Amino acid sequence: MTDNNRGIGEAVVRREDSRFLQGRGQYTDDMNLAGQLFACIVRSQHAHATINSIDGSAAMAMDGVVSVLTHEDFAAYGGVPCGWGVNNKDGSPMAEPKHPILAEGVARHVGDPVAVVIAESPIIARNAAEHVQVSYSELPAVVSMQQALDASAKPIHGDTESNLCFDWELGDREAVDQAIAGAHHVTKLELINNRLVPNAMEPRCAIGDYNSATGDHTLYTTSQNPHVIRLLMGAFVLQIPEHKLRVVSPDVGGGFGSKIYHYAEEAIVTVAAMKLGKPVKWTSDRTEAFISDAHGRDHITTVELALDREGNFLALRESTHANMGAYLSTFAPAVPTYLHSTLLAGQYRTPVIYAEVKAVFTNTVVVDAYRGAGRPEASYLVERVVETAAREMGIDPVELRRKNFIKSFPHDTPVALTYDSGDYAATLDQAMIASDYAGFEARRAEAKQRGKLRGIGIACYVEACGVAPSNIAGALGARAGLYEAATIRVNPTGSISVLTGSHSHGQGHETTFSQLVADKLGIDYDSIDVVHGDTNRIPFGMGTYGSRSLAVGGTAIVNAVDKIIAKGKKIAAHLLEASEADIEFENGEFRVAGTDKMKPFAEIALTAYVPHNFPLEELEPGLEETAFYDPKNFTFPAGTYVCEVEIDPDTGTTEIVSFHASDDFGRIINPMIVEGQVHGGLVQGIGQALLEGCVYDTDSGQLISGSYMDYTMPRADDVPSFSVDTCVTECTHNPLGVKGCGEAGAIGAPPAVMNAIIDALSDYNVRHLDMPATPNKIWSIIHKASAAAA
Amino acid sequence: MSVSVVMTVNGEVVAKHVEDRTLLVEFLREHLRLTGTHVGCDTSQCGACVVHANGKSLKSCTALAVQMDGAEITTIEGLANGDVLHPMQEAFRQNHGLQCGFCTPGMVMSAVDLVNENPDPSETEIREWLEGNICRCTGYHNIVKSISAGAKAMREGDPT
Ligand code: FES
Ligand code: FES
């Protein structure tokens, strides 16, 4: 083994950082192609309106304007597709209205793209866009889900019967109804999971390029999954076959789900570049991002938990309305259904569970997966209702959870999942000690002396990462596979290129995946390079989302490495004149077992490419292997989070005074990167609980929280430093034993924070409070209670 | 209207004719192709565009290029000393102070200015200073840690 191995478990400093720290990253907007033109999109300023006419002549007359495109220019192409179909309770398919690239006669949300101006500079394009005359007749907008489902509401799509997209269910309704009817205690909560705007710091950008001599298209785009875009946009929208379309996603500045989807702008620049014979670039500004990036969450839920006298959970029932926005984004139908209700068991043995979810079209931006995607909503409702039940029944909330924990694995939940591993009690214990849970009452008393209301809240979340296997996902409506692909290319002198279908947009794959390969092959970490984000360089890939990259993409890499080792053994057996069965591979050396006869990895590599002494009749030259890995099951990370808050009763402001996270992510490759993922997720979760909320005006459908002046992003002084640790049980069905860590923080933090706030307000008789728990809401509660007492 | 601007950017004198409304950030990114300075918003909130103008941090989306006529500008590309990272860059690297890297140039430039003003900032002072820099990835924990470590290194070392 080399002394520069940097294998599994080491907190290796990230290799991608050198370029980012020196301003040498290459994000899509950093690229300019020769002769490039610039697109500016004219977007609807109405939530719902008929488009009577579009007159681009004044814009066209301006110096430097090259083209104005409208729906007619895209008439030959398909609409933006949806990648997951969900069925209604009666088995009929969901309503799937057309999602045109540019609005076709009707604009359905503020920000709906209506026309495109293409010009020689971004400024000219922007100025000219102001001169495109669009004549609208406003239609009544349905902004809230209640409005949309009202009997008097007109469907916003001409081709659907109502604004109901689907009415779906999961679980045994009858058994749940019975259990609830006969229960000793039923806790019922109505709660809202607030709509969020993902806000990756890099706004989306796309550059289309077309070579008319070869017929080759290239799309540079800010995507988490370039191969998926090639498939969706190429095959379903523009009918460009894969071999004629290259999709490149270079450095991408954060995604959090919002850069999974195929967006209209990608098709727009691709078509425009072909029509105009020049590259066309579109860069979103932040205002545009607010009204065109897919939003997240937006559920309204009623949940009931039935318990017996001792506090054993008997049944859980959920009824949710989920906002889809104006159209179906790529994975939107899966989020409130298969990625959500399947997690309703949480960490508990609840014997029967029933969920019904109605998805609704409204005149708002599309809603799709955002960090956690359905699982934060599940964890929130479970952990809020469990906490509330504990309070109602006078049982310690920690003990109520512990009592109901799943204790043996594998465990089949009543909502279709099989958890393979975990040790929930151990994780909880670890968190209790690390957070000094036992010492809380003293801290509360001390805070009280300072005039502060201190509260503690816990959340025990479970999540499911790496949606799988493909055949089951397909049976549940997925219109794509959910495997991952990797190629290990051993170069002649023994250096290695890892070609991965996963995509890194902050996760540090270049480091983690190199560690994996260095560890498996026992070779120098610096001789390994990771290539991602280019459909022409990588065989295939499904990309990065749902914390799948290590569990699925990492396993594909390991499987490809295993194939390399297997072939290497054959070559070594030939060179060492031994039988293949006697060759062992360890620490970068192929050795005849029990002897000192050995060939180093690099020599095997060179022999494969210079096959002068090589078993050519049995073996092909070269050393490159590809693996496609389709997981057998999801992985199930889980953890306990403990949050302590102090509320200032005079102002209603909440300060998070401490936050501890104990997570079980399975085996850990790079602990430094894992901690960073937890920190980032926690702040997104805390942001949802305290600060963030996407607000539409319910009459006009205007987005009120449409900029950083109005939408409260968590900033450094809103959050504390965190205490995090891990408690490991290995995943049983992937060779690395890994589970995934990308979304945990965003899943576990909201209920922990809200439970802490409710605890802090325990003197004020507050049973529930919806997120975000703004100072105004909290102050009003305190103020009302004080007024009533006076 | 086209105007001429002359400024020193990362130690080199540059002279260009630009549209009068050209923002400093556009001047840096599009005219000089210094794309390390990023644009994350359009309301002067995110800080992805922070550079140093005459030694002080400045949101380059908030100034016109012509306003900077005669100024000395340092961008993230000009911070390292050849191949040797500035102590603040090195601290971010060692402490995992970045994930996607998009906010990073602004964070680092802002942090250097903080330490120039306050060589030994407390965690609270660091967090307050970062009010104008948004990061969506890191949760700030490791950024704060990086800046503390960077401040220490700047105090101890030769801050080039
Ligand atoms: S781009 Fe300058 S503050 Fe956001
Ligand atoms: S590292 Fe991605 S926004 Fe800060």
Side-chain angles (χ1 to χ4, degrees), chain A residues 688-716:
Chain A
Q688 171 167 30
L690 293 183
L691 305 165
E692 299 179 44
C694 176
V695 182
Y696 277 95
D697 181 272
T698 43
D699 293 326
S700 66
Q702 293 296 326
L703 178 63
I704 293 171
S705 55
S707 81
Y708 288 154
M709 317 282 280
D710 313 288
Y711 184 93
T712 318
M713 291 285 281
R715 296 179 191 243

Short mmCIF file of all heavy atoms in Angstrom, two decimals, chain A residues 688-716:
data_model
loop_
_atom_site.label_atom_id
_atom_site.label_comp_id
_atom_site.label_asym_id
_atom_site.label_seq_id
_atom_site.Cartn_x
_atom_site.Cartn_y
_atom_site.Cartn_z
N GLN A 688 -36.50 26.46 7.23
CA GLN A 688 -37.92 26.16 7.02
C GLN A 688 -38.71 26.41 8.30
O GLN A 688 -39.81 26.96 8.27
CB GLN A 688 -38.12 24.71 6.58
CG GLN A 688 -39.62 24.34 6.58
CD GLN A 688 -39.96 23.05 5.89
OE1 GLN A 688 -39.15 22.13 5.85
NE2 GLN A 688 -41.15 22.98 5.31
N ALA A 689 -38.15 26.02 9.45
CA ALA A 689 -38.88 26.13 10.71
C ALA A 689 -39.03 27.57 11.18
O ALA A 689 -40.06 27.95 11.71
CB ALA A 689 -38.18 25.30 11.78
N LEU A 690 -37.99 28.37 10.95
CA LEU A 690 -38.01 29.71 11.56
C LEU A 690 -38.19 30.86 10.57
O LEU A 690 -38.72 31.92 10.93
CB LEU A 690 -36.70 29.96 12.33
CG LEU A 690 -36.43 29.13 13.57
CD1 LEU A 690 -35.13 29.59 14.21
CD2 LEU A 690 -37.57 29.24 14.56
N LEU A 691 -37.69 30.70 9.36
CA LEU A 691 -37.52 31.89 8.52
C LEU A 691 -38.21 31.84 7.17
O LEU A 691 -38.76 32.85 6.71
CB LEU A 691 -36.01 32.10 8.26
CG LEU A 691 -35.11 32.20 9.49
CD1 LEU A 691 -33.66 32.05 9.09
CD2 LEU A 691 -35.33 33.52 10.20
N GLU A 692 -38.12 30.71 6.50
CA GLU A 692 -38.50 30.68 5.09
C GLU A 692 -39.97 30.37 4.89
O GLU A 692 -40.51 29.48 5.53
CB GLU A 692 -37.67 29.63 4.35
CG GLU A 692 -36.19 29.90 4.39
CD GLU A 692 -35.38 28.82 3.66
OE1 GLU A 692 -35.78 28.42 2.55
OE2 GLU A 692 -34.36 28.39 4.21
N GLY A 693 -40.56 31.07 3.97
CA GLY A 693 -41.93 30.77 3.61
C GLY A 693 -42.23 31.49 2.32
O GLY A 693 -42.00 32.69 2.18
N CYS A 694 -42.70 30.73 1.35
CA CYS A 694 -43.01 31.32 0.06
C CYS A 694 -44.46 31.79 0.12
O CYS A 694 -45.36 31.00 0.41
CB CYS A 694 -42.82 30.24 -0.99
SG CYS A 694 -43.26 30.82 -2.61
N VAL A 695 -44.67 33.06 -0.14
CA VAL A 695 -46.00 33.64 0.03
C VAL A 695 -46.53 34.17 -1.29
O VAL A 695 -45.86 34.97 -1.96
CB VAL A 695 -45.98 34.79 1.06
CG1 VAL A 695 -47.38 35.36 1.26
CG2 VAL A 695 -45.40 34.32 2.38
N TYR A 696 -47.71 33.71 -1.66
CA TYR A 696 -48.42 34.25 -2.82
C TYR A 696 -49.58 35.10 -2.34
O TYR A 696 -50.23 34.76 -1.34
CB TYR A 696 -48.99 33.12 -3.67
CG TYR A 696 -48.00 32.53 -4.64
CD1 TYR A 696 -47.28 31.39 -4.31
CD2 TYR A 696 -47.81 33.09 -5.89
CE1 TYR A 696 -46.37 30.84 -5.20
CE2 TYR A 696 -46.91 32.55 -6.79
CZ TYR A 696 -46.18 31.43 -6.45
OH TYR A 696 -45.29 30.89 -7.34
N ASP A 697 -49.89 36.14 -3.09
CA ASP A 697 -51.11 36.88 -2.83
C ASP A 697 -52.27 36.03 -3.34
O ASP A 697 -52.28 35.65 -4.51
CB ASP A 697 -51.08 38.22 -3.58
CG ASP A 697 -52.33 39.01 -3.30
OD1 ASP A 697 -53.32 38.82 -4.06
OD2 ASP A 697 -52.35 39.79 -2.35
N THR A 698 -53.21 35.70 -2.46
CA THR A 698 -54.21 34.72 -2.86
C THR A 698 -55.24 35.28 -3.83
O THR A 698 -56.00 34.53 -4.43
CB THR A 698 -54.96 34.12 -1.64
OG1 THR A 698 -55.26 35.17 -0.75
CG2 THR A 698 -54.13 33.07 -0.94
N ASP A 699 -55.29 36.57 -4.00
CA ASP A 699 -56.19 37.12 -5.03
C ASP A 699 -55.50 37.20 -6.38
O ASP A 699 -56.00 36.70 -7.38
CB ASP A 699 -56.67 38.52 -4.63
CG ASP A 699 -57.56 38.46 -3.41
OD1 ASP A 699 -58.30 37.45 -3.30
OD2 ASP A 699 -57.50 39.37 -2.58
N SER A 700 -54.34 37.83 -6.39
CA SER A 700 -53.72 38.11 -7.68
C SER A 700 -52.78 36.99 -8.13
O SER A 700 -52.44 36.91 -9.30
CB SER A 700 -52.92 39.40 -7.58
OG SER A 700 -51.83 39.20 -6.68
N GLY A 701 -52.35 36.15 -7.21
CA GLY A 701 -51.37 35.13 -7.58
C GLY A 701 -49.97 35.68 -7.77
O GLY A 701 -49.10 35.02 -8.31
N GLN A 702 -49.74 36.91 -7.31
CA GLN A 702 -48.39 37.47 -7.38
C GLN A 702 -47.54 36.84 -6.27
O GLN A 702 -48.01 36.64 -5.14
CB GLN A 702 -48.42 39.00 -7.19
CG GLN A 702 -49.09 39.74 -8.32
CD GLN A 702 -48.35 39.60 -9.65
OE1 GLN A 702 -47.13 39.51 -9.69
NE2 GLN A 702 -49.11 39.56 -10.74
N LEU A 703 -46.29 36.56 -6.60
CA LEU A 703 -45.37 36.02 -5.60
C LEU A 703 -44.88 37.19 -4.75
O LEU A 703 -44.18 38.08 -5.24
CB LEU A 703 -44.20 35.32 -6.28
CG LEU A 703 -43.14 34.75 -5.35
CD1 LEU A 703 -43.72 33.66 -4.46
CD2 LEU A 703 -41.98 34.18 -6.16
N ILE A 704 -45.27 37.18 -3.49
CA ILE A 704 -44.90 38.31 -2.63
C ILE A 704 -43.46 38.15 -2.14
O ILE A 704 -42.71 39.11 -2.06
CB ILE A 704 -45.89 38.40 -1.44
CG1 ILE A 704 -47.27 38.78 -1.99
CG2 ILE A 704 -45.41 39.42 -0.41
CD1 ILE A 704 -48.37 38.71 -0.98
N SER A 705 -43.09 36.90 -1.85
CA SER A 705 -41.73 36.66 -1.35
C SER A 705 -40.81 36.35 -2.53
O SER A 705 -40.29 35.26 -2.65
CB SER A 705 -41.75 35.50 -0.36
OG SER A 705 -42.34 34.37 -1.00
N GLY A 706 -40.64 37.33 -3.40
CA GLY A 706 -39.95 37.06 -4.66
C GLY A 706 -38.52 37.55 -4.76
O GLY A 706 -37.98 37.63 -5.86
N SER A 707 -37.91 37.89 -3.65
CA SER A 707 -36.50 38.29 -3.72
C SER A 707 -35.88 38.07 -2.34
O SER A 707 -36.60 37.77 -1.37
CB SER A 707 -36.36 39.77 -4.10
OG SER A 707 -36.56 40.58 -2.95
N TYR A 708 -34.58 38.28 -2.25
CA TYR A 708 -33.92 38.12 -0.95
C TYR A 708 -34.28 39.25 0.02
O TYR A 708 -33.91 39.19 1.19
CB TYR A 708 -32.41 38.02 -1.11
CG TYR A 708 -31.94 36.73 -1.71
CD1 TYR A 708 -30.74 36.64 -2.40
CD2 TYR A 708 -32.69 35.57 -1.58
CE1 TYR A 708 -30.31 35.45 -2.96
CE2 TYR A 708 -32.29 34.38 -2.13
CZ TYR A 708 -31.08 34.32 -2.82
OH TYR A 708 -30.66 33.14 -3.36
N MET A 709 -34.99 40.26 -0.48
CA MET A 709 -35.49 41.29 0.43
C MET A 709 -36.76 40.78 1.14
O MET A 709 -37.15 41.33 2.16
CB MET A 709 -35.85 42.57 -0.33
CG MET A 709 -34.87 43.00 -1.38
SD MET A 709 -33.44 43.79 -0.69
CE MET A 709 -34.13 45.43 -0.41
N ASP A 710 -37.40 39.77 0.52
CA ASP A 710 -38.73 39.35 1.01
C ASP A 710 -38.76 37.92 1.49
O ASP A 710 -39.58 37.55 2.32
CB ASP A 710 -39.76 39.50 -0.11
CG ASP A 710 -39.66 40.83 -0.80
OD1 ASP A 710 -40.03 41.83 -0.19
OD2 ASP A 710 -39.15 40.87 -1.94
N TYR A 711 -37.90 37.09 0.91
CA TYR A 711 -37.84 35.68 1.30
C TYR A 711 -36.64 35.54 2.22
O TYR A 711 -35.51 35.86 1.83
CB TYR A 711 -37.66 34.82 0.05
CG TYR A 711 -37.67 33.33 0.32
CD1 TYR A 711 -38.86 32.60 0.23
CD2 TYR A 711 -36.51 32.65 0.68
CE1 TYR A 711 -38.87 31.23 0.48
CE2 TYR A 711 -36.52 31.29 0.92
CZ TYR A 711 -37.70 30.58 0.82
OH TYR A 711 -37.71 29.23 1.07
N THR A 712 -36.88 35.09 3.43
CA THR A 712 -35.80 35.13 4.43
C THR A 712 -34.90 33.92 4.32
O THR A 712 -35.24 32.84 4.77
CB THR A 712 -36.40 35.20 5.84
OG1 THR A 712 -37.49 36.11 5.82
CG2 THR A 712 -35.37 35.66 6.84
N MET A 713 -33.75 34.12 3.72
CA MET A 713 -32.75 33.06 3.69
C MET A 713 -32.03 33.04 5.03
O MET A 713 -31.75 34.09 5.61
CB MET A 713 -31.74 33.36 2.59
CG MET A 713 -32.30 33.24 1.20
SD MET A 713 -32.51 31.53 0.71
CE MET A 713 -30.82 31.09 0.26
N PRO A 714 -31.72 31.85 5.54
CA PRO A 714 -30.94 31.80 6.77
C PRO A 714 -29.54 32.39 6.54
O PRO A 714 -28.89 32.08 5.53
CB PRO A 714 -30.82 30.31 7.07
CG PRO A 714 -31.69 29.59 6.11
CD PRO A 714 -32.04 30.52 5.01
N ARG A 715 -29.15 33.25 7.43
CA ARG A 715 -27.82 33.85 7.34
C ARG A 715 -26.99 33.40 8.54
O ARG A 715 -27.53 32.81 9.48
CB ARG A 715 -27.94 35.36 7.29
CG ARG A 715 -28.68 35.78 6.02
CD ARG A 715 -28.83 37.28 5.92
NE ARG A 715 -29.75 37.58 4.84
CZ ARG A 715 -29.43 38.25 3.73
NH1 ARG A 715 -28.23 38.72 3.58
NH2 ARG A 715 -30.32 38.47 2.81
N ALA A 716 -25.72 33.74 8.48
CA ALA A 716 -24.80 33.20 9.49
C ALA A 716 -25.23 33.55 10.91
O ALA A 716 -25.02 32.76 11.84
CB ALA A 716 -23.39 33.72 9.23
#
